[in-house]
Amino acid sequence: MERLFVLLLLLFLLLLPQAEAKLHPMICQTNDAIHVQHQYYQPGDVLIGGITSQLFSPSYSPILFKENPQAVLIDEYAKKGFSNEFRKTISSVFELNEKPSTADEQLQERTVVPLIPEKEFQKEHLSTVPKNYQHILSLVFAVKEINENPKLLPNHTLGFHFYESYFNARTTYQNTLNLVFSQNWTLLNYKCDHKNLIAVIGGLDSETSLYMATLLGIYKIPQITYSLFASAVSDKTHLSSLYQMVPNEAHQYTGIVWLLLHFQWKWVGLIAVGDDKGEKFVQALTHLFSQNGICPAFTEILISHSDFLDASFLIERFLDAFKFLTNTDVNIFVINAEIRTMVTMQWLLLVAELDATTSISKVWVMTAHWDFSSETLHRTLDIQVFHGALSFAIPSNELHGFQSFLQTLRPYSDRDGFIRVFWQQAFDCLFLDSGKSKETKKSCTGEEKLESLPGPFFEMSMTGHSYNIYNAVYAVAHALHAMHSSRNKHKAMMHPFLRSISFNNSAGDEVSFDKNGELVGRFDILNWITFSNQSFLKVKVGKMDPQDPQGKEFSINEKVITWHSRFNQAVPLAVCNANCRPGYSKKRKEGEPFCCYECAQCPERKISNQNDANDCFQCPEDQYPTDDQNQCLSKILNSLSYDEPLGISLAALALCLSGTAAVVLGIFIRHRNTPIVKANNRSLTYTLLISLLLCFLCSLLFIGSPQIMTCLLRQTAFGIIFSVAVSSVLAKTITVVLAFMATKPGSRMRKWLGKRCSNFVVLCCSFIQSNVCMAWLCTYPPFPDIDMHSLEEEITMECNEGSAVMFSCVLAYMGLLALISFLVAFFARKLPDTFNEAKFITFSMLIFCCVWLTFVPTYLSTKGKYMVAVEIFSILASSAGLLGCIFFPKMYIVVLMPELNCKEQLIKSKK
């Protein structure tokens, strides 16, 4: 029994602490709370957290893990006078007197010239970007509208809690944990103070957003960022709690390339700060440039003013960079306009203003980070260096009541830990209770007007970042409303409702996320017009919308663009060398970027019809290049027609010769019983004259536009008719030889005399040629065709011979007959004959052979219609030679000397 009692007592003692823990929850105690001065808190049933970026501080000291890290007040870092010390250093190395001519002399002769009075350097204040305070105000305005709307979140009030990041990783982590766990101090994974945090908005740049996402993703708290993410970190699959109230930055890079190509800017400079974001920016654009024929003429990597170790060295680097940017012949600068790059650029310009007599007169193409915001230390900076700049921008719209809300602001708020710092630095004044020296500054009255501030410090119209924050608050409110209205058992998770949210805001713009948690939206293209009083205008000149139909995603109206005054309102040029004119193509320069090239004239028969052609090309078959080789002209149709002088002349000659042959035939028929006609074998004479007549007429088939029938007949008819004519001449010659041989005593040749032999020769020779032509027509007949290539400026309409072999056989056979006739006539030229016909035949065949021997090279060397003309002339000339040499002597006797046309004269001549 005692043992049982002891066991129960021990069990009670073991369970007692756990029971007490359930009855009395653990009280979190810590003595090292960090006071955060710059925060803005408004209570509500649910809270929206926020991390803003408008105050600069130097980096914290490294943690060595040898002792507990100290909770150092941000104000202590401010008291180190980080920015002022840098300005002191700048002042200590500049001069007011005349600048030396060389850089070495310049370094030796510098004297001290303060940028601002020395007492001003003793002021202890943070460096701020006042314009970013509007980011907080846009959230406050959105929360105010939502709480006043009974339909959106009925029975719930929306609160918020803002912290500053100081553009610092450690502070961002610390204040993100403060949002999750407590207002004043953090004990990880213990909710020591009840905070109904439903979402967090921030930050201004991708680094701050990623710092926040690392922690918020652990606790599944949605984060809506209004920063642009570089393409290298756009894959955020491991950041499931992160939503972007901006489109993917990859679309912006594509838009930059399209903008450059629109203006034919292919020789540009890239500017970025030498950090990870700058390197990713340069890598992404360099890759896109190489794909689109754009060359980075240079890549200027700026050293951030917050990274310096030796101020003098940094200033010299700033001066070198300024001189390079001023003197380079590159007209277009593409700059990654994220906050660190632009602050560094402002310091560079501030340094350059004290040591330069010229300014950078270029066209700036900036990313959508650019918001024309300046630190207060750059109050006197001349912003006209950016006159005519083009920037991509996150679209914004004017919201009803926002300007009235801004005009009601007064710098007296216990909850707003930002407004007093903003007010003092924006209006360059001090409040009476600030505890700081007021010898050089006026006192703040609290009645100062925000609309009096220059644009780089504050704008009364809502900026792109502020507009996105406003939409982000409404996205959270609509998602929260949908979650409370849902009956889903998992309604405690806000992510599904936020991911699928879609609504129209009060300005009428649609707000929704895509599957990657990125805003479905566009980028505007703005033209910045600056004035000497630090005011500026933003003129929308184009847009880049990935949701538009293909080919219409990018648009720009260059007529409304105001360029820098240096360019006299002409579109600036951005090429490595002058454009190659049409008629020339680009030729690569060895050792130079591909945008630098020479211009080479196009080869013969090739053209280029645009500037900077990569290569020349040939005209289509039915066109030919001009003398300048910059365009193609349509070829004209070429054929030997009856409408031109050459066709008319040949046709008239053919008709004249055929008429002559007809007259000779008629005379011979009329005088057929005369001795001279009888003595020359009347049948052969008629056959020869008829064939010559037809030869003259068949030449007409070669004139005119080629048709199917004319192509079939012209060569075959010519070949057959000419064969009859030549075979008739051969028969005549053979008859002369046989007649001489038959006169010898005892000769057997008498039986071959007469019509039978001559007819056999004509029919046999003609039959062979006819068979060759029929074989030609049955296998590869001629057909109408066009020749695109023989003549450069003309299209030749011709008859394609079909088979060149068959055509050659026809000509070769006629040549063989002519050669045989010539040889037989040549050997019989001295035989005694009536009217010496053998000599006439010899001479006629000599002319015939000369004509056709000349025809072959001439025909092959001519082109187009002149080939046809050569063949017609050869037909007419050879036929006229036969007609003239054989028949004109007889015609002379028959017509002019009839007294010689008698039997006595014939007998006399035989003797």
Side-chain angles (χ1 to χ4, degrees), residues 402-435:
F402 183 66
Q403 291 194 9
S404 301
F405 168 75
L406 295 180
Q407 292 170 349
T408 62
L409 287 179
R410 293 295 178 267
Y412 308 108
S413 173
D414 295 333
R415 294 176 176 174
D416 189 350
F418 298 92
I419 191 167
R420 284 172 65 87
V421 176
F422 160 77
W423 207 273
Q424 289 183 134
Q425 299 217 8
F427 291 103
D428 196 22
C429 63
L430 289 173
F431 288 103
L432 296 176
D433 59 350
S434 64

Short mmCIF file of all heavy atoms in Angstrom, two decimals, residues 402-435:
data_model
loop_
_atom_site.label_atom_id
_atom_site.label_comp_id
_atom_site.label_asym_id
_atom_site.label_seq_id
_atom_site.Cartn_x
_atom_site.Cartn_y
_atom_site.Cartn_z
N PHE A 402 -7.60 60.88 -53.94
CA PHE A 402 -6.25 60.70 -53.41
C PHE A 402 -5.55 62.04 -53.15
O PHE A 402 -4.91 62.23 -52.12
CB PHE A 402 -5.43 59.84 -54.37
CG PHE A 402 -4.04 59.54 -53.87
CD1 PHE A 402 -3.85 58.75 -52.74
CD2 PHE A 402 -2.92 60.05 -54.53
CE1 PHE A 402 -2.56 58.46 -52.28
CE2 PHE A 402 -1.64 59.78 -54.07
CZ PHE A 402 -1.46 58.98 -52.96
N GLN A 403 -5.67 62.96 -54.07
CA GLN A 403 -5.01 64.26 -53.88
C GLN A 403 -5.63 65.01 -52.71
O GLN A 403 -4.92 65.67 -51.93
CB GLN A 403 -5.09 65.09 -55.16
CG GLN A 403 -4.23 64.53 -56.30
CD GLN A 403 -4.06 65.53 -57.43
OE1 GLN A 403 -4.42 66.70 -57.30
NE2 GLN A 403 -3.49 65.08 -58.54
N SER A 404 -6.93 64.90 -52.54
CA SER A 404 -7.58 65.54 -51.38
C SER A 404 -7.07 64.92 -50.09
O SER A 404 -6.84 65.61 -49.08
CB SER A 404 -9.09 65.38 -51.47
OG SER A 404 -9.58 65.98 -52.65
N PHE A 405 -6.86 63.61 -50.12
CA PHE A 405 -6.30 62.93 -48.95
C PHE A 405 -4.90 63.44 -48.64
O PHE A 405 -4.55 63.68 -47.46
CB PHE A 405 -6.29 61.42 -49.22
CG PHE A 405 -5.50 60.63 -48.23
CD1 PHE A 405 -5.99 60.38 -46.94
CD2 PHE A 405 -4.25 60.12 -48.57
CE1 PHE A 405 -5.25 59.65 -46.03
CE2 PHE A 405 -3.52 59.38 -47.67
CZ PHE A 405 -4.02 59.15 -46.39
N LEU A 406 -4.08 63.64 -49.66
CA LEU A 406 -2.72 64.14 -49.44
C LEU A 406 -2.74 65.56 -48.87
O LEU A 406 -1.91 65.92 -48.02
CB LEU A 406 -1.93 64.12 -50.75
CG LEU A 406 -1.64 62.74 -51.37
CD1 LEU A 406 -0.85 62.91 -52.66
CD2 LEU A 406 -0.87 61.85 -50.40
N GLN A 407 -3.67 66.37 -49.32
CA GLN A 407 -3.72 67.76 -48.86
C GLN A 407 -4.14 67.89 -47.40
O GLN A 407 -3.91 68.94 -46.79
CB GLN A 407 -4.67 68.55 -49.76
CG GLN A 407 -4.14 68.72 -51.18
CD GLN A 407 -5.18 69.30 -52.13
OE1 GLN A 407 -6.36 69.39 -51.78
NE2 GLN A 407 -4.75 69.69 -53.33
N THR A 408 -4.72 66.84 -46.84
CA THR A 408 -5.13 66.88 -45.43
C THR A 408 -4.02 66.43 -44.49
O THR A 408 -4.21 66.48 -43.27
CB THR A 408 -6.37 66.00 -45.23
OG1 THR A 408 -6.03 64.63 -45.54
CG2 THR A 408 -7.52 66.45 -46.11
N LEU A 409 -2.89 65.97 -45.03
CA LEU A 409 -1.83 65.45 -44.17
C LEU A 409 -1.20 66.57 -43.34
O LEU A 409 -0.95 67.68 -43.85
CB LEU A 409 -0.74 64.78 -45.01
CG LEU A 409 -1.08 63.42 -45.63
CD1 LEU A 409 0.10 62.92 -46.45
CD2 LEU A 409 -1.41 62.41 -44.55
N ARG A 410 -0.92 66.25 -42.09
CA ARG A 410 -0.19 67.15 -41.21
C ARG A 410 0.83 66.30 -40.45
O ARG A 410 0.55 65.16 -40.07
CB ARG A 410 -1.13 67.85 -40.23
CG ARG A 410 -2.09 68.83 -40.90
CD ARG A 410 -1.34 70.01 -41.54
NE ARG A 410 -2.23 70.92 -42.22
CZ ARG A 410 -2.55 70.87 -43.48
NH1 ARG A 410 -2.05 69.90 -44.23
NH2 ARG A 410 -3.37 71.76 -44.02
N PRO A 411 2.00 66.87 -40.20
CA PRO A 411 3.09 66.07 -39.63
C PRO A 411 2.97 65.88 -38.12
O PRO A 411 3.98 66.01 -37.39
CB PRO A 411 4.32 66.90 -39.99
CG PRO A 411 3.84 68.30 -39.97
CD PRO A 411 2.43 68.26 -40.49
N TYR A 412 1.78 65.61 -37.63
CA TYR A 412 1.59 65.40 -36.19
C TYR A 412 0.84 64.08 -36.02
O TYR A 412 -0.37 64.02 -36.14
CB TYR A 412 0.80 66.54 -35.55
CG TYR A 412 1.37 67.91 -35.87
CD1 TYR A 412 0.71 68.77 -36.75
CD2 TYR A 412 2.57 68.32 -35.32
CE1 TYR A 412 1.21 70.02 -37.04
CE2 TYR A 412 3.10 69.57 -35.62
CZ TYR A 412 2.41 70.41 -36.48
OH TYR A 412 2.93 71.63 -36.78
N SER A 413 1.59 63.01 -35.78
CA SER A 413 0.98 61.69 -35.62
C SER A 413 1.85 60.86 -34.71
O SER A 413 3.07 60.75 -34.93
CB SER A 413 0.81 61.00 -36.98
OG SER A 413 0.37 59.69 -36.82
N ASP A 414 1.22 60.30 -33.67
CA ASP A 414 1.97 59.43 -32.76
C ASP A 414 2.21 58.06 -33.37
O ASP A 414 3.18 57.37 -33.03
CB ASP A 414 1.20 59.28 -31.44
CG ASP A 414 1.10 60.60 -30.68
OD1 ASP A 414 2.01 61.44 -30.88
OD2 ASP A 414 0.12 60.79 -29.94
N ARG A 415 1.33 57.65 -34.30
CA ARG A 415 1.45 56.33 -34.88
C ARG A 415 2.40 56.30 -36.08
O ARG A 415 3.05 55.30 -36.33
CB ARG A 415 0.07 55.83 -35.34
CG ARG A 415 -0.90 55.59 -34.18
CD ARG A 415 -2.26 55.19 -34.71
NE ARG A 415 -3.21 54.86 -33.66
CZ ARG A 415 -4.47 54.59 -33.86
NH1 ARG A 415 -4.96 54.61 -35.10
NH2 ARG A 415 -5.28 54.29 -32.85
N ASP A 416 2.45 57.40 -36.80
CA ASP A 416 3.26 57.47 -38.02
C ASP A 416 4.68 57.89 -37.65
O ASP A 416 4.93 59.06 -37.32
CB ASP A 416 2.64 58.45 -39.01
CG ASP A 416 3.34 58.40 -40.38
OD1 ASP A 416 4.40 57.77 -40.48
OD2 ASP A 416 2.80 59.00 -41.33
N GLY A 417 5.59 56.95 -37.68
CA GLY A 417 6.98 57.25 -37.35
C GLY A 417 7.80 57.70 -38.53
O GLY A 417 9.02 57.85 -38.41
N PHE A 418 7.16 57.93 -39.67
CA PHE A 418 7.88 58.34 -40.87
C PHE A 418 7.65 59.79 -41.24
O PHE A 418 8.50 60.43 -41.84
CB PHE A 418 7.46 57.47 -42.08
CG PHE A 418 7.75 56.02 -41.93
CD1 PHE A 418 6.81 55.16 -41.40
CD2 PHE A 418 8.96 55.50 -42.31
CE1 PHE A 418 7.06 53.82 -41.28
CE2 PHE A 418 9.24 54.16 -42.18
CZ PHE A 418 8.28 53.31 -41.65
N ILE A 419 6.49 60.32 -40.84
CA ILE A 419 6.07 61.60 -41.43
C ILE A 419 6.96 62.75 -41.01
O ILE A 419 7.24 63.65 -41.80
CB ILE A 419 4.59 61.87 -41.10
CG1 ILE A 419 4.10 63.06 -41.95
CG2 ILE A 419 4.37 62.10 -39.62
CD1 ILE A 419 2.61 63.23 -41.94
N ARG A 420 7.46 62.72 -39.76
CA ARG A 420 8.28 63.85 -39.34
C ARG A 420 9.62 63.88 -40.08
O ARG A 420 10.10 64.93 -40.49
CB ARG A 420 8.50 63.79 -37.83
CG ARG A 420 7.26 64.22 -37.03
CD ARG A 420 7.45 63.95 -35.55
NE ARG A 420 8.52 64.74 -34.96
CZ ARG A 420 8.36 65.98 -34.46
NH1 ARG A 420 7.17 66.54 -34.48
NH2 ARG A 420 9.37 66.63 -33.95
N VAL A 421 10.22 62.69 -40.25
CA VAL A 421 11.48 62.64 -40.99
C VAL A 421 11.24 63.09 -42.43
O VAL A 421 12.01 63.88 -42.99
CB VAL A 421 12.06 61.21 -40.97
CG1 VAL A 421 13.32 61.13 -41.83
CG2 VAL A 421 12.35 60.79 -39.55
N PHE A 422 10.16 62.58 -43.03
CA PHE A 422 9.82 63.00 -44.39
C PHE A 422 9.61 64.50 -44.47
O PHE A 422 10.15 65.17 -45.36
CB PHE A 422 8.55 62.27 -44.84
CG PHE A 422 7.85 62.93 -45.99
CD1 PHE A 422 8.32 62.83 -47.28
CD2 PHE A 422 6.70 63.72 -45.78
CE1 PHE A 422 7.69 63.45 -48.34
CE2 PHE A 422 6.07 64.35 -46.82
CZ PHE A 422 6.56 64.21 -48.11
N TRP A 423 8.86 65.05 -43.55
CA TRP A 423 8.51 66.48 -43.60
C TRP A 423 9.75 67.35 -43.49
O TRP A 423 9.92 68.31 -44.24
CB TRP A 423 7.51 66.78 -42.48
CG TRP A 423 6.62 67.94 -42.78
CD1 TRP A 423 6.87 69.26 -42.54
CD2 TRP A 423 5.33 67.89 -43.39
NE1 TRP A 423 5.83 70.02 -42.95
CE2 TRP A 423 4.87 69.22 -43.48
CE3 TRP A 423 4.52 66.86 -43.85
CZ2 TRP A 423 3.61 69.53 -44.02
CZ3 TRP A 423 3.28 67.17 -44.38
CH2 TRP A 423 2.85 68.49 -44.46
N GLN A 424 10.62 66.99 -42.52
CA GLN A 424 11.81 67.81 -42.30
C GLN A 424 12.74 67.81 -43.50
O GLN A 424 13.27 68.84 -43.90
CB GLN A 424 12.57 67.31 -41.06
CG GLN A 424 11.84 67.62 -39.76
CD GLN A 424 12.65 67.18 -38.55
OE1 GLN A 424 12.78 67.92 -37.58
NE2 GLN A 424 13.18 65.97 -38.60
N GLN A 425 12.92 66.62 -44.08
CA GLN A 425 13.88 66.55 -45.19
C GLN A 425 13.28 67.01 -46.51
O GLN A 425 13.98 67.58 -47.34
CB GLN A 425 14.39 65.11 -45.31
CG GLN A 425 15.11 64.65 -44.05
CD GLN A 425 16.30 63.78 -44.36
OE1 GLN A 425 16.69 63.63 -45.50
NE2 GLN A 425 16.87 63.22 -43.32
N ALA A 426 11.99 66.79 -46.70
CA ALA A 426 11.37 67.23 -47.94
C ALA A 426 11.30 68.74 -48.02
O ALA A 426 11.56 69.34 -49.08
CB ALA A 426 9.97 66.63 -48.07
N PHE A 427 10.95 69.39 -46.87
CA PHE A 427 10.81 70.85 -46.87
C PHE A 427 12.05 71.55 -46.34
O PHE A 427 12.05 72.77 -46.21
CB PHE A 427 9.59 71.24 -46.02
CG PHE A 427 8.28 70.84 -46.63
CD1 PHE A 427 7.57 69.74 -46.16
CD2 PHE A 427 7.75 71.54 -47.70
CE1 PHE A 427 6.36 69.36 -46.72
CE2 PHE A 427 6.55 71.18 -48.26
CZ PHE A 427 5.85 70.09 -47.78
N ASP A 428 13.11 70.78 -46.02
CA ASP A 428 14.38 71.34 -45.55
C ASP A 428 14.16 72.26 -44.35
O ASP A 428 14.58 73.42 -44.33
CB ASP A 428 15.06 72.10 -46.70
CG ASP A 428 16.53 72.37 -46.39
OD1 ASP A 428 17.10 71.64 -45.55
OD2 ASP A 428 17.09 73.32 -46.96
N CYS A 429 13.49 71.70 -43.33
CA CYS A 429 13.21 72.46 -42.13
C CYS A 429 13.35 71.53 -40.92
O CYS A 429 13.56 70.33 -41.07
CB CYS A 429 11.82 73.07 -42.18
SG CYS A 429 10.48 71.83 -42.24
N LEU A 430 13.24 72.11 -39.71
CA LEU A 430 13.33 71.34 -38.48
C LEU A 430 12.17 71.70 -37.57
O LEU A 430 11.77 72.88 -37.49
CB LEU A 430 14.65 71.61 -37.76
CG LEU A 430 15.93 71.06 -38.41
CD1 LEU A 430 17.15 71.55 -37.66
CD2 LEU A 430 15.91 69.54 -38.44
N PHE A 431 11.63 70.70 -36.86
CA PHE A 431 10.60 70.97 -35.87
C PHE A 431 11.25 71.52 -34.60
O PHE A 431 12.41 71.21 -34.28
CB PHE A 431 9.81 69.70 -35.56
CG PHE A 431 8.89 69.29 -36.67
CD1 PHE A 431 9.22 68.25 -37.53
CD2 PHE A 431 7.69 69.96 -36.87
CE1 PHE A 431 8.37 67.88 -38.55
CE2 PHE A 431 6.84 69.59 -37.89
CZ PHE A 431 7.18 68.55 -38.74
N LEU A 432 10.52 72.31 -33.88
CA LEU A 432 11.07 72.96 -32.69
C LEU A 432 11.49 71.95 -31.62
O LEU A 432 12.44 72.20 -30.87
CB LEU A 432 10.02 73.92 -32.10
CG LEU A 432 9.64 75.10 -33.00
CD1 LEU A 432 8.52 75.90 -32.36
CD2 LEU A 432 10.84 75.98 -33.26
N ASP A 433 10.84 70.82 -31.55
CA ASP A 433 11.14 69.83 -30.53
C ASP A 433 12.11 68.76 -31.00
O ASP A 433 12.25 67.70 -30.37
CB ASP A 433 9.86 69.14 -30.05
CG ASP A 433 9.14 68.47 -31.20
OD1 ASP A 433 9.54 68.69 -32.37
OD2 ASP A 433 8.19 67.70 -30.95
N SER A 434 12.80 69.02 -32.10
CA SER A 434 13.70 68.01 -32.63
C SER A 434 15.00 67.92 -31.85
O SER A 434 15.72 66.94 -31.95
CB SER A 434 14.02 68.30 -34.11
OG SER A 434 14.71 69.53 -34.23
N GLY A 435 15.33 69.00 -31.07
CA GLY A 435 16.55 68.99 -30.29
C GLY A 435 17.81 69.19 -31.11
O GLY A 435 18.91 68.94 -30.63
#
